[in-house]
Amino acid sequence: MYFPVAFQILFLVLLAAFGWGLNLRLLSQAGVEVRPILQLAQLPAVRSDVGWIDDGLHQNVFRLAAVLSGVAAAGWALSALSSDPRLQTAVALLTYVVVIAMLVMPRRALCYTVRRQFTGLLARIAKPSLSDPVCLADVVMADIMTSCARMFADLFLVACQFGGLLWPRRYGTALAARRGDLDGLIELVREQHEQRACTSSGIAGVLLVSAPYAFRLRQCINEYLRAEPESSAARRHLANAIKYASSFPVIALSATQRQVTVDGIMETKYSDWVLRVAFALWIAAVVFNSLYSFYWDVAFDWDLGHTAAGWKLSDMIAPADEKPAPNLGNRAVVISPADALAQQSPELSRQRDFPRLLRPRRRFASHRVYYAAIALDFLLRIAWTMKLSSYIHIDSMAYGAFWLNLLEIYRRWQWTFLRIEKEAAS
């Protein structure tokens, strides 16, 4: 089946857009108002004078995704009809140009508000600022980008193919080989390197994969600097920053292994030793990052792991700040977080009979939704590391990378669903 990487990326991105629309529809049916939760009213940079995106929110997202999917499907069909690789690349390039032009066109048509807010959020995320406030919309979009991180490296290879079509190179390999001198050998090596440039993303791929995590790390540092020193919020943002920073060793060590085993760099008597050390470090980094990220999803992003005694999983890293009570005589009584919560919400203090390791307040009655999400999140976080391993040749399997990206999009879809549900329930 003809399904090149260029159209795989388009399919996955548009599938994520449909997933976002489905998130909005299901949350709306559950009575969740998404706009105030995402704090879109605080983002003048993405405000439009033609209405907010939750005025028919999911319908507009579905409409835009459907139109762009039609363009992508037409491009794929035209490309599949041709047997000329250059013509196939040209059709894919034209499809990308049309899709991007439709997203950024200034005309007030085709879900203008959705498009403007989407591009505005991307600009806010990429802006290297430590003073701008970070809203939940920024956080959700940046986290979605981390799930698409590997696709950014694949997109670099696609762009390399497009560049080869627009600026074709002429190689004189045979002439260089016949010359036999040092200059000829240097030219031959340079040409071979250029020919392989579109088969391995190299350092550029590492930087592109790391970029979404760097954006999210910047947001965490921003929130940490804005939080009150030594507060629970400050500890939480600092711990969250460590989580995203732990992704960089995984990416760097994966690239190191790939360079040694696949690209043949460092083919010396030390290469086996370097590979063993890199693999051991990679395993340690993957285990820490995967388990820490899974813990964060459950304990903080979804606020699960509560007990009847008032303790919860997030207290392991960032316990709630204790609130001092008014002075009684010459004594000051310190109120524990559980007692303070009970005073603020007496009905919650009486609600002790909730499913184990969930939370008292939930927008969905079925506890199986939460337990299934926890189990799938753990399994899919482990599976996602296969994409980064040089020992598991996912790319050599039939659409192996595509299926793993698809699973990651599903994991991020359910994460987004419960992330917003948690805000609504609190």
Side-chain angles (χ1 to χ4, degrees):
M1 178 181 176
Y2 175 77
F3 197 27
V5 175
F7 288 102
Q8 289 181 30
I9 295 173
L10 277 179
F11 176 85
L12 291 168
V13 171
L14 292 171
L15 182 64
F18 277 111
W20 172 239
L22 183 59
N23 279 137
L24 298 174
R25 178 179 176 84
L26 295 177
L27 289 167
S28 177
Q29 290 177 344
V32 176
E33 296 183 8
V34 176
R35 177 167 63 91
I37 292 176
L38 293 179
Q39 301 169 307
L40 292 175
Q42 302 180 26
L43 307 179
V46 296
R47 185 180 298 166
S48 170
D49 56 0
V50 296
W52 293 98
I53 68 171
D54 61 339
D55 300 333
L57 183 53
H58 63 272
Q59 294 97 330
N60 286 332
V61 173
F62 281 141
R63 188 179 301 115
L64 178 61
V67 172
L68 297 181
S69 296
V71 174
W76 171 80
L78 289 174
S79 181
L81 291 175
S82 174
S83 58
D84 183 2
R86 289 183 59 82
L87 182 57
Q88 291 175 338
T89 303
V91 173
L93 173 59
L94 179 61
T95 304
Y96 270 74
V97 170
V98 172
V99 169
I100 295 174
M102 294 178 72
L103 275 176
V104 301
M105 66 178 180
R107 291 190 58 188
R108 297 180 182 276
L110 188 59
C111 309
Y112 172 73
T113 310
V114 174
R115 294 187 292 105
R116 183 174 176 180
Q117 291 191 336
F118 172 71
T119 55
L121 281 174
L122 292 182
R124 282 177 55 87
I125 291 170
K127 182 181 178 181
S129 171
L130 293 178
S131 58
D132 292 344
V134 179
C135 300
L136 185 60
D138 301 325
V139 173
V140 171
M141 179 61 70
D143 275 320
I144 291 174
M145 290 176 64
T146 61
S147 292
C148 300
R150 193 62 186 87
M151 285 188 279
F152 291 156
D154 296 335
L155 190 61
F156 172 81
L157 299 180
V158 172
C160 182
Q161 295 174 1
F162 292 161
L165 178 68
L166 297 175
W167 300 282
R169 302 179 182 89
R170 295 183 179 180
Y171 298 108
T173 321
L175 177 62
R178 285 197 300 267
R179 287 169 58 182
D181 57 2
L182 180 60
D183 293 338
L185 291 175
I186 294 175
E187 183 179 352
L188 176 61
V189 171
R190 182 184 299 111
E191 291 176 358
Q192 289 177 342
H193 178 73
E194 291 178 355
Q195 289 173 345
R196 292 171 53 192
C198 292
T199 60
S200 176
S201 54
I203 298 299
V206 173
L207 296 177
L208 288 171
V209 171
S210 303
Y213 298 97
F215 296 152
R216 193 67 187 91
L217 176 62
R218 193 269 305 170
Q219 290 178 344
C220 294
I221 296 175
N222 191 348
E223 292 181 296
Y224 171 75
L225 295 177
R226 296 171 65 90
E228 184 179 349
E230 304 299 329
S231 65
S232 177
R235 290 191 294 270
R236 183 176 72 253
H237 296 314
L238 180 60
N240 202 12
I242 293 173
K243 183 192 73 172
Y244 288 102
S246 69
S247 302
F248 299 134
V250 177
I251 297 170
L253 291 169
S254 298
T256 300
Q257 294 176 85
R258 189 172 296 275
Q259 291 290 314
V260 174
T261 60
V262 178
D263 297 339
I265 306 243
M266 295 180 63
E267 288 184 347
T268 66
K269 62 180 180 180
Y270 301 107
S271 59
D272 291 340
W273 178 83
V274 170
L275 194 59
R276 285 195 297 269
V277 172
F279 180 69
L281 294 175
W282 179 83
I283 288 291
V286 162
V287 169
F288 176 81
N289 176 259
S290 298
L291 294 181
Y292 191 19
S293 299
F294 168 71
Y295 161 77
W296 197 273
D297 288 346
V298 175
F300 287 93
D301 291 339
W302 298 344
D303 193 26
L304 301 177
H306 288 240
T307 65
W311 185 85
K312 53 185 179 179
L313 283 176
S314 60
D315 291 341
M316 295 174 60
I317 290 180
D321 296 323
E322 294 184 341
K323 299 181 179 180
N327 288 336
L328 299 178
N330 295 325
R331 296 185 304 165
V333 178
V334 177
I335 301 178
S336 68
D339 293 336
L341 184 61
Q343 290 183 8
Q344 296 173 5
S345 181
E347 71 280 3
L348 183 59
S349 66
R350 294 191 297 267
Q351 187 180 358
R352 300 299 186 184
D353 186 19
F354 59 89
R356 179 174 299 179
L357 294 182
L358 297 187
R359 49 179 144 83
R361 291 179 174 176
R362 304 180 308 280
R363 296 304 295 256
F364 306 109
S366 176
H367 60 274
R368 293 183 178 87
V369 172
Y370 300 90
Y371 288 136
I374 292 173
L376 288 173
D377 188 74
F378 176 77
L379 293 175
L380 294 178
R381 276 206 174 274
I382 298 300
W384 181 240
T385 61
M386 296 170 59
K387 184 72 173 70
L388 300 175
S389 174
S390 61
Y391 283 86
I392 305 174
H393 300 290
I394 297 297
D395 295 329
S396 63
M397 305 177 187
Y399 303 111
F402 170 79
W403 290 112
L404 274 182
N405 282 322
L406 191 64
L407 291 175
E408 174 61 14
I409 286 177
Y410 169 78
R411 190 196 68 80
R412 183 57 64 182
W413 173 83
Q414 75 166 21
W415 176 90
T416 304
F417 191 66
L418 292 183
R419 179 69 177 86
I420 298 177
E421 180 271 343
K422 168 248 184 176
E423 295 294 332
S426 61

